[in-house]
Amino acid sequence: MPMVMRVINFIWKHLVKIVSILLALLFIYAAASKLFDFEAFQVQLAQSPLLSAYAGVISYGILVIEFLVAIMLLIPNSNKVGLYASIGLMSAFTLYIYLILNYSDFVPCSCGGILEKLGWTEHLIFNIFFLVLSFIALIVLVKKIGRSGLKELGVGGLIIVISCLVVIGLFRSSEHIIKSENSFIRRFLQHPVLIEKTKDLKVNSFYLAGIEEGILYLGNISAPLIVTTIDTSLTVFSQMHTIIDKKDYNFRNVKLQVRKPYFYVFDGTVPIIYRGHLGDSIARTLSYKDAFFNQMVILDSTRFAIRTQRGSDRSYTLALLDLSRNSKVKLKSDVLQGQIDGVFSVDGSLISNSNATKLVYTYVYRNQFIVMDSTLRIDKRLQTIDTTTHAKITITKLSDGSKKMGAPPFTVNKRSVIYGDLLFNESNLKGQYEPSEAWRTSSIIDVYNTARQQYMGSFYIDHKKGEALSSWLVNGNDLYAIVGNELRRYKIRGEAFN
């Protein structure tokens, strides 16, 4: 027991020095890890929705400040100022993480070294711990020189308030610069879809893989070889484990799609497609080494529309994969039109209607979608209602030759589904006179008639406990959506989109 007391007394006696050294090491390590990979650090800052507009200045500023604060902490005469500066820095870092976790469209990373292994919640706790430690060291230091500490507590609190106000100001300013409101106005329809029934799926890793003869088929990101079925009344639920004939491959993203009378399992990063009969648990190799792809639409039992990369310049291009022909892959290089580059600026989603007679490719970063037939022949190029005709993206080339987004991308369209002539498009842009609260708690769906080349109207799909729409499809007058761990069935009002 005396030994424990001696250790406690030693720590208390040298608490200010111990905390100052710990904080100095933390700032030196954080700054050094950023400096050693400064290029990646700048790119990561530029991807932050809070700091992106000021990434250039802040990337240098943070390094200088962290090194200066570390030096002040290690010099006795400037130790007190160093502790004040530590409180300010840790307050700013803590609020930054809180805003990223609660108010960001995505979670970037701007940490290096072992701190990169921490999750964002753990990092928040880590920062709060060191913030409290800084305050305790400051109070102990003040008491050692014979003061009450109330003034220093007040100054420390004021520093926290100022640091938080600076971070909030940066957040609001950067958001306005990067993601300003558009000038278009939506027409919101009067209750075009009404929720009829919900089903708790227990987990949020499901996605809709297809619907055939009154049965919904669900894939699972966490368990890609399990096929889940549920009837359209959302009552009869069953699961089947799929057996694939060959599985010794380095799969990255296995997906499931259903088109009567088969289901298909594939992962385009490995050039393989499996096919099995609905109701059967075995899926056999249908195609191997015919094509790499990152998106696929089933046209019939042996024909597929895919998005792949050209060998000549690695640009995204659409192609037909026809397993019944000797020359199985036919590139359609004229469909996707690059603006800034051939990858990021043409990114989008490829979908088809229920019988694959009509295909649509919707660009992510501009207001355009392409309507095609089953041979990928272009029928028309149409625009969504917003005003972003040119992709607003910045691309940074790293020293190893690879390319990354150099700033948060200005996302226009998230995902689409099509039924008949109607395209249901989830938009990421807020129009004029739309309440911000609705955008925080709902997903916005714009509806277009591709035959009439006409915008029909918009509606909301509410989030659930902060989780947004992740997968959906339309079948007849029913819209099925997965929001978090909930499967919903909406009824589309008969005349809503006429």
Side-chain angles (χ1 to χ4, degrees):
M1 191 67 178
M3 181 64 178
V4 174
M5 290 303 298
R6 282 200 297 271
V7 171
I8 293 173
N9 288 334
F10 176 84
I11 292 173
W12 186 252
K13 181 180 179 180
H14 300 283
L15 180 67
V16 176
K17 186 178 293 185
I18 292 170
V19 172
S20 297
I21 291 172
L22 281 175
L23 286 167
L25 289 174
L26 174 65
F27 291 134
I28 289 170
Y29 172 77
S33 64
K34 295 179 180 77
L35 186 61
F36 289 143
D37 199 1
F38 188 66
E39 182 183 54
F41 171 58
Q42 278 193 314
V43 170
Q44 289 163 349
L45 270 184
Q47 293 175 338
S48 165
L50 193 157
L51 303 173
S52 54
Y54 311 102
V57 174
I58 290 178
S59 61
Y60 292 100
I62 286 178
L63 290 179
V64 173
I65 292 170
E66 286 182 333
F67 278 126
L68 281 177
V69 173
I71 292 169
M72 286 191 291
L73 286 166
L74 295 175
I75 299 174
N77 290 338
S78 60
N79 186 239
K80 182 179 174 182
V81 177
L83 286 172
Y84 277 133
S86 299
I87 289 170
L89 264 183
M90 296 310 296
S91 299
F93 292 159
T94 301
L95 182 60
Y96 169 77
I97 293 174
Y98 176 81
L99 290 173
I100 288 293
L101 286 173
N102 291 277
Y103 296 99
S104 173
D105 292 337
F106 59 95
V107 178
C109 179
S110 56
C111 310
I114 58 173
L115 296 183
E116 194 172 15
K117 305 301 180 185
L118 292 177
W120 282 82
T121 302
E122 291 81 3
H123 209 145
L124 183 66
I125 296 169
F126 179 88
N127 283 5
I128 292 173
F129 171 77
F130 274 95
L131 176 59
V132 172
L133 212 57
S134 301
F135 244 115
I136 292 172
L138 178 65
I139 299 304
V140 172
L141 176 63
V142 169
K143 285 190 173 182
K144 280 186 176 180
I145 58 178
R147 297 182 184 175
S148 67
L150 290 176
K151 179 182 177 182
E152 279 68 22
L153 274 174
V155 174
L158 181 62
I159 289 172
I160 289 177
V161 171
I162 292 171
S163 296
C164 291
L165 288 175
V166 168
V167 172
I168 292 170
L170 284 172
F171 177 72
R172 292 178 67 87
S173 176
S174 184
E175 282 284 272
H176 177 74
I177 292 170
I178 298 300
K179 199 173 183 181
S180 58
E181 290 191 4
N182 282 261
S183 59
F184 66 92
I185 301 174
R186 283 191 170 88
R187 179 175 66 252
F188 285 93
L189 304 171
Q190 293 297 314
H191 308 296
V193 297
L194 300 171
I195 193 165
E196 287 191 321
K197 193 169 183 181
T198 64
K199 171 74 175 179
D200 185 2
L201 299 174
K202 307 300 182 184
V203 295
N204 63 358
S205 54
F206 284 103
Y207 61 91
L208 290 159
I211 182 169
E212 295 290 350
E213 297 179 345
I215 301 294
L216 284 164
Y217 292 84
L218 280 62
N220 192 320
I221 297 169
S222 302
L225 293 182
I226 292 180
V227 179
T228 301
T229 60
I230 183 169
D231 67 325
T232 52
S233 66
L234 307 191
T235 53
V236 182
F237 185 91
S238 66
Q239 293 187 318
M240 177 185 69
H241 191 280
T242 302
I243 301 168
I244 53 178
D245 58 357
K246 295 179 182 178
K247 56 184 179 181
D248 298 327
Y249 303 111
N250 186 24
F251 293 121
R252 295 182 190 176
N253 186 25
V254 177
K255 291 287 185 67
L256 170 72
Q257 272 192 45
V258 172
R259 175 146 293 160
K260 187 176 62 173
Y262 302 108
F263 68 91
Y264 299 81
V265 178
F266 56 92
D267 180 349
T269 59
V270 178
I272 192 165
I273 302 172
Y274 302 94
R275 187 182 72 185
H277 283 273
L278 291 175
D280 192 355
S281 62
I282 299 175
R284 295 178 173 82
T285 302
L286 177 66
S287 167
Y288 180 56
K289 290 187 176 180
D290 293 318
F292 288 93
F293 55 90
N294 43 43
Q295 291 189 41
M296 186 185 88
V297 165
I298 303 161
L299 301 177
D300 60 38
S301 59
T302 59
R303 290 194 315 122
F304 308 89
I306 60 173
R307 192 183 74 175
T308 185
Q309 288 185 287
R310 277 199 305 259
S312 57
D313 58 4
R314 309 304 297 162
S315 293
Y316 283 158
T317 183
L318 299 187
L320 289 173
L321 173 60
D322 190 342
L323 303 180
S324 65
R325 299 171 64 93
N326 291 329
S327 181
K328 295 180 181 179
V329 179
K330 185 177 181 181
L331 298 182
K332 298 287 186 176
S333 301
D334 61 325
V335 178
L336 303 184
Q337 298 175 332
Q339 291 181 335
I340 299 169
D341 72 330
V343 177
F344 295 108
S345 69
V346 298
D347 198 9
S349 58
L350 178 65
I351 59 172
S352 74
N353 60 1
S354 57
N355 56 9
T357 57
K358 180 181 293 186
L359 282 74
V360 172
Y361 188 87
T362 307
Y363 287 110
V364 172
Y365 303 120
R366 52 178 134 149
N367 64 346
Q368 190 182 84
F369 59 94
I370 309 164
V371 182
M372 300 162 282
D373 64 17
S374 60
T375 67
L376 295 182
R377 183 184 64 82
I378 298 172
D379 181 19
K380 51 182 77 81
R381 295 181 187 270
L382 303 176
Q383 290 187 332
T384 54
I385 58 173
D386 63 273
T387 57
T388 310
T389 57
H390 197 275
K392 297 178 182 178
I393 58 175
T394 303
I395 300 169
T396 300
K397 188 173 183 179
L398 304 181
S399 54
D400 62 1
S402 62
K403 295 180 180 180
K404 292 184 70 175
M405 287 285 195
F410 189 86
T411 304
V412 176
N413 306 304
K414 288 186 176 180
R415 60 180 73 84
S416 303
V417 299
I418 186 170
Y419 186 81
D421 291 327
L422 295 179
L423 176 73
F424 297 78
N425 179 56
E426 183 184 358
S427 175
N428 194 50
L429 295 184
K430 180 170 168 283
Q432 285 194 48
Y433 317 119
E434 294 175 23
S436 298
E437 180 62 27
W439 275 84
R440 285 193 291 269
T441 59
S442 310
S443 299
I444 187 80
I445 310 299
D446 299 325
V447 184
Y448 302 89
N449 188 306
T450 60
R452 298 182 193 171
Q453 304 182 35
Q454 188 178 25
Y455 163 63
M456 306 303 294
S458 304
F459 61 93
Y460 291 113
I461 289 182
D462 293 335
H463 296 172
K464 181 185 179 184
K465 296 180 180 178
E467 292 193 87
L469 174 70
S470 61
S471 180
W472 54 316
L473 62 80
V474 174
N475 184 60
N477 288 326
D478 294 315
L479 186 153
Y480 300 91
I482 294 179
V483 181
N485 62 352
E486 186 174 77
L487 172 61
R488 301 174 182 172
R489 188 184 75 223
Y490 293 85
K491 180 63 67 176
I492 299 175
R493 189 164 51 82
E495 303 299 314
F497 305 120
N498 290 333

